[in-house]
Amino acid sequence: MSYRGPRGTYDVFPGGREPYERAELWTFVEARAREVMARHNYSEIRTPIFEEIELFARTAGEASDIVVQKEMFSFRDKGEREMALRPEGTPGAVRAYIEHNLYKLAQPIKLFYVGPMFRQERQQRGRYRQHTQIGVEVLGTSDPLVDAEVISLLYSIHQAVGVEDEVVYLNNIGDMETRSIYAPELRAYLQKHVGELDSDSVARMDTNPLRTFDSKHENTQAVLAGAPRISAYLSREAADHVATVREGLDALGVPHEMDEGLVRGFDYYTMTVFEAKSGALGAQDTVGAGGRYNGLISDLGGPDVGGIGFGSGVERMLLAAASQEARVSLDVFFVTLAPEARILAMKLAGALREEGISADLDYGGRGMRAQFKQADRTGASYAVILGEDELARSDCTVRDMASGEELAVPVADGAKDLIRTVAR
RNA sequence: GUGGCCGUAGCUCAGUAGGUAGAGCAUCGGAUUGUGGCUCCGAAGGUCGCGGGUUCGAGUCCCGUCGGUCACCCCA
């Protein structure tokens, strides 16, 4: 074996074993997701898959692991600029929003994107170095009902593609000010229990104490069970915000659960954070997640308006969806039994295709049995036989592959009769 | 980046106390010289991930390396 795909990547091809390797499923998921987006009046945005590294560093936060642990695929271009392949979709979308003055248009702007994201991490089930996210950003408003719409949109897409055993978790982590009061309190509490925490949490306690809630260690979680709750520190405004989000979710019929331990990896989140998990996945059980980011747009040089978005992993959606049998089927397969018949088959196939009827033929010069086997495997509805007998009579034999019934159809004056016979 | 497990035919795997490789499925051909899904017969297909070492001899033992996988970290 000389060449392999890069570590942590995969190919999409006919006959792929894993659901995310199967081309038909990608076509299916993207089409369904686009339908749902369109019904919610979202427009597509396409931004580059690389940006200045600074943009990602600013948005993710200096303390985030994407930056600290060097999880970005970065490179220097020929002009000595530090660039990086995008680890997430929000920064590029927000940058474009500001760069093209989209805040001057009627607000909010409702955007969606589909595309590859990159993170230099060790691969495991549901986590790849290049993965694809379907994401959404609503920019220019802080209306809590928008939060509800965005969460419901995430849920609807998952429903549309068949994600199983899903639960949507919701939390409100307040604004920056609330957190600046809460964080020291939490830190002080954790300090008292330092001996019971795992080493990762101890390290994180100082830089970003909220993140200790993400820990999977039992002891740490036991300590956190007695920790001060952020809900007790929320301002009146923040408390109202969550309440309205929940009302909106109820109105839209989106089942959800509050989870006070839900914090997210990006520092820019404010107020609403949410996560959709599926029990059908392994350790990487988050199918899609997101949150509100009210300070981010102004931080990047735009107006002081709110925004909210989510990213949902297509690979994880496919893994969490019931095995879809998206069989590609063919209308007509030509079986040719004489060399001269092959040209006629091509001509007829061309005519059928122009009428929107799918057609294929044998290119291997193989025996009849092999050709019928292929007609069967491709799921063809009809096999059209062109042999010496047919050539002599200027007709073709149309075989219904399901019933086995056969019919002679004239082809002397073109494919007209064949089209009529085979069209449904 | 850390750790466990694993790398033998296209796929799933077997390979017994070290004696230079097998099965099932898939593919191709035939039984059926004009007919698929079932059955039967046959063929093709492998530098046993790669590199070293031990040995008369290594798929099998040892070391290294690369890759895969799952988990941690983190995250979609």
Side-chain angles (χ1 to χ4, degrees), chain A residues 128-401:
Chain A
Y128 310 93
R129 290 188 163 190
Q130 173 175 338
H131 72 280
T132 305
Q133 284 186 31
I134 292 177
V136 145
E137 312 290 344
V138 179
L139 305 167
T141 179
S142 297
D143 190 328
L145 287 182
V146 165
D147 301 27
E149 176 177 285
V150 166
I151 294 167
S152 125
L153 181 49
L154 174 64
Y155 183 72
S156 298
I157 291 171
H158 291 172
Q159 292 297 107
V161 303
V163 170
E164 299 193 320
D165 197 6
E166 172 164 308
V167 180
V168 175
Y169 295 97
L170 179 69
N171 194 20
N172 186 311
I173 56 172
D175 53 20
M176 295 296 181
E177 202 184 323
T178 301
R179 291 220 295 283
S180 68
I181 296 167
Y182 173 68
E185 298 279 336
L186 178 60
R187 186 178 296 127
Y189 171 82
L190 292 172
Q191 199 75 55
K192 283 188 288 184
H193 299 273
V194 151
E196 302 157 56
L197 302 177
D198 63 280
S199 55
D200 285 318
S201 295
V202 171
R204 201 174 283 150
M205 193 171 73
D206 294 320
T207 54
N208 196 344
L210 291 243
R211 296 303 306 288
T212 52
F213 280 104
D214 277 338
S215 174
K216 288 180 181 173
H217 288 80
E218 275 185 37
N219 292 347
T220 301
Q221 283 302 332
V223 171
L224 288 166
R229 302 268 172 145
I230 194 159
S231 55
Y233 292 75
L234 293 181
S235 62
R236 176 63 184 277
E237 188 195 343
D240 287 348
H241 190 95
V242 216
T244 308
V245 173
R246 300 197 68 183
E247 268 184 77
L249 287 173
D250 290 338
L252 290 167
V254 179
H256 61 281
E257 285 178 28
M258 290 302 292
D259 177 4
E260 293 218 47
L262 174 59
V263 292
R264 303 280 318 145
F266 299 127
D267 290 354
Y268 55 65
Y269 285 130
T270 57
M271 308 291 261
T272 307
V273 292
F274 54 94
E275 207 164 75
K277 293 189 180 221
S278 167
L281 296 177
Q284 307 302 321
D285 59 356
T286 300
V287 186
R292 174 161 284 287
Y293 42 84
N294 285 345
L296 181 65
I297 299 171
S298 57
D299 268 5
L300 293 177
D304 187 13
V305 295
I308 181 171
F310 69 71
S312 188
V314 177
E315 295 81 1
R316 290 185 185 177
M317 286 189 242
L318 290 172
L319 286 169
S323 52
Q324 313 272 358
E325 264 316 310
R327 269 283 285 280
V328 185
S329 65
L330 189 69
D331 295 320
V332 174
F333 189 90
F334 286 93
V335 173
T336 54
L337 303 174
E340 318 87 85
R342 303 181 72 215
I343 288 292
L344 177 57
M346 286 214 93
K347 190 177 154 193
L348 294 171
L352 292 181
R353 290 163 180 161
E354 283 192 18
E355 289 301 311
I357 297 163
S358 59
D360 201 358
L361 53 140
D362 172 61
Y363 289 113
R366 292 181 299 174
M368 181 179 50
R369 175 188 163 81
Q371 293 189 52
F372 269 99
K373 273 188 103 166
Q374 184 163 356
D376 190 44
R377 271 193 311 243
T378 54
S381 305
Y382 298 97
V384 173
I385 305 144
L386 291 167
E388 312 222 331
D389 298 350
E390 285 83 359
L391 289 177
R393 297 192 304 254
S394 279
D395 68 7
C396 64
T397 302
V398 177
R399 179 184 175 87
D400 182 318
M401 291 298 280

